[in-house]
Structures are given as structure tokens and as C-alpha cells.
């Protein structure tokens, strides 16, 4: 599967967001990762639909919306209409995960399912055939700048093996604590969509993107 970098704008400077989106685009990042937090599923609150509509005007890159909200089916249609290309919901946040995935697809966007570090890969085994992407959280969701939890690497490897055995072509995304020191391990384990927040937006953004992309070649 093609490897893509998905800078998480949670760590961006919102006062100059348009400018920073330009920098990551120009440096070659393929996705924009958009973290929506509701203060319920995760402790913090981030941003939502109006911000998505606004950044949709400023980037042609694929916008990867990560919904960290309870009962995400309530907002799937609106996020699709606001410009999401992929909508990822947490297995732990959905009462009817299968139906929510169908809903995402019926809106004409790609569907992803995310699992928290302590959620086993086996919990999503039956929906693997219907999703475009699985997001293996490598930290507990809610905040940028945390350290990767080492046992999550085993889950990436496990999922990657299942996909090979079942001949499933789905993207494996990782999110949380990915930086120049941890990226090799997640790539080697089989991840191909790499989310990075603080490792992109702290310091020289374009150099950070280029250095991470270099490691992904
Ligand atoms: C965490 C979010 C992440 C976050 C990652 O709950 O889902 O996308 O922005 O930040 P870093 O890369 O700094 O760990
Ligand atoms: Zn995220």
C-alpha cells in the first residue's frame, strides 16, 4: 500500500492555519488529519464543522477526519458535506459500528474505523472487509504530544498479518507519538498512513515533513 503522511493540524498554529496548510502541502504531505474531540469520548474539545469547511477551501489534499466523539453517526453526513474525504469513527464510540460504516459510505466518502490502545484487533475483525482504513491508535486519544505506547506496535503487526492472510487491501493508519524516532517501527510493522502532529508542527514545518517523508520512502 502507498505510504502517506497525514499531518495532524491539532498541533498547528490556528492563527495562521492557512499558511501552515500551504507549508505542509508544498513540502509534499499527502493528507491533512483533522481531529474532532467532543469532551465526552475524550477529555478535550478541539474543533468541528465550521473549521473543516474553512480549511476545505485552502487545501486540495485528502482530508482525513478522525471523529473522537460519542455516537458519531449523528454527524457523519455533515462532516461529509463539509468536505471530508475519509471519515474515521472509533469502534468504542459506536453502538452499531456496522451501520455507521454503511452510513459513511452512503455519503460517498471513505470509511475508517479506529481502535484505542487497549481495544483488541479482534473487536473489528468482522468489519475489515467493509472499511477502507483502520486506525490503530498508538496513544490514548485526546491530546497531541504523548509518547507512543509500545504494545500498539504488536497490534499493527497483527492487523497487517490478518490483511495479508485475508488478501484485504486496506490502509493501516497510526496516530499518536509518531516522530523521527518511532516512525521506523510503525512502518516496519505494516502501517502506511502516518499521522504526526507535534513532530510536524513544532519547529521547522517543511523540514519536519521532508524528514518524515524521507523515512517513508
Ligand atoms: C490524539 C490525536 C492525534 C494527535 C497526534 O488524540 O488523534 O491525531 O494530534 O499528535 P502527536 O503526533 O503529537 O502525538
Ligand atoms: Zn487523530
Amino acid at each position: 500500500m502507498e505510504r502517506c503522511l497525514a499531518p495532524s493540524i491539532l498541533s498547528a498554529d490556528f492563527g495562521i492555519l492557512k499558511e501552515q496548510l500551504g507549508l505542509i502541502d508544498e513540502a509534499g504531505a499527502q493528507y491533512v488529519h483533522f481531529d474532532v474531540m467532543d469532551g465526552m469520548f475524550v477529555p478535550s474539545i478541539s474543533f468541528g464543522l465550521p473549521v473543516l469547511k474553512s480549511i476545505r477551501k485552502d487545501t486540495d489534499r485528502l482530508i482525513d477526519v478522525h471523529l473522537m466523539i460519542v455516537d458519531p453517526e449523528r454527524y457523519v453526513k455533515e462532516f461529509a458535506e463539509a468536505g471530508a474525504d475519509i471519515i474515521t469513527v472509533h469502534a468504542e464510540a459506536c453502538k452499531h459500528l456496522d451501520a455507521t460504516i454503511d452510513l459513511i459510505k452512503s455519503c460517498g466518502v471513505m470509511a475508517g474505523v479506529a481502535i484505542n490502545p487497549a481495544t483488541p484487533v479482534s473487536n473489528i475483525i468482522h468489519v475489515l472487509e467493509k472499511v477502507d482504513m483502520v486506525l490503530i491508535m498508538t496513544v490514548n486519544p485526546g491530546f497531541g504530544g504523548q509518547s507512543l505506547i509500545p504494545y500498539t506496535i504488536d497490534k499493527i503487526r497483527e492487523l497487517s498479518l490478518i490483511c495479508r492472510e485475508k488478501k484485504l487491501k486496506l490502509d493501516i493508519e497510526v496516530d499518536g507519538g509518531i516522530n523521527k524516532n518511532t516512525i521506523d517501527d510503525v512502518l516496519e510493522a505494516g502501517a502506511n498512513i502516518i499521522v504526526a502532529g507535534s513532530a510536524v508542527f513544532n519547529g521547522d514545518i517543511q523540514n519536519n515533513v521532508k524528514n518524515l517523508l524521507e523515512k517513508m520512502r
Side-chain angles (χ1 to χ4, degrees):
M1 303 293 288
E2 193 194 341
R3 289 177 170 174
C4 296
L5 182 65
S8 163
I9 59 163
L10 188 62
S11 295
D13 180 341
F14 302 127
I16 48 165
L17 191 50
K18 184 175 180 173
E19 196 180 299
Q20 297 205 331
L21 282 169
L23 292 176
I24 58 173
D25 275 15
E26 216 177 276
Q30 297 91 342
Y31 287 21
V32 174
H33 184 80
F34 190 87
D35 287 303
V36 182
M37 302 179 179
D38 66 353
M40 293 286 285
F41 182 68
V42 291
S44 40
I45 296 175
S46 58
F47 38 67
L49 290 159
V51 179
L52 178 59
K53 282 182 194 148
S54 168
I55 70 159
R56 182 70 287 177
K57 294 192 212 115
D58 297 330
T59 183
D60 295 331
R61 301 294 171 160
L62 195 146
I63 301 181
D64 159 31
V65 173
H66 177 193
L67 294 181
M68 286 165 273
I69 65 176
V70 294
D71 300 332
E73 67 280 359
R74 296 173 296 150
Y75 292 103
V76 162
K77 190 160 175 272
E78 280 165 284
F79 276 101
E81 285 168 358
D85 295 296
I86 307 179
I87 296 179
T88 297
V89 294
H90 270 261
E92 304 88 353
C94 295
K95 290 192 189 79
H96 303 287
L97 177 61
D98 182 272
T100 304
I101 293 165
D102 286 345
L103 174 64
I104 297 171
K105 296 191 128 181
S106 75
C107 294
V109 298
M110 288 184 273
V113 62
I115 50 173
N116 286 335
T119 302
V121 171
S122 57
N123 278 27
I124 53 166
I125 200 89
H126 296 293
V127 296
L128 290 181
E129 299 204 4
K130 53 197 301 182
V131 293
D132 300 288
M133 183 170 86
V134 172
L135 166 51
I136 303 271
M137 287 304 300
T138 39
V139 299
N140 288 298
F143 306 97
Q146 305 179 71
S147 299
L148 180 142
I149 299 172
Y151 71 72
T152 60
I153 305 278
D154 298 334
K155 292 172 63 185
I156 303 165
R157 202 168 282 121
E158 182 187 348
L159 175 63
S160 176
L161 197 68
I162 293 170
C163 291
R164 219 172 307 144
E165 279 169 6
K166 290 181 178 273
K167 297 195 173 30
L168 292 173
K169 289 219 174 317
L170 53 83
D171 288 310
I172 302 180
E173 181 173 59
V174 285
D175 184 6
I178 312 295
N179 54 43
K180 62 180 181 353
N181 301 317
T182 54
I183 192 169
D184 292 340
D185 288 344
V186 296
L187 290 170
E188 185 272 326
N192 69 304
I193 310 291
I194 307 298
V195 177
S198 41
V200 165
F201 290 99
N202 291 355
D204 183 329
I205 295 174
Q206 292 207 304
N207 260 342
N208 291 339
V209 168
K210 285 179 187 156
N211 290 339
L212 290 170
L213 285 174
E214 183 67 33
K215 287 195 160 263
M216 291 166 63
R217 281 219 187 125

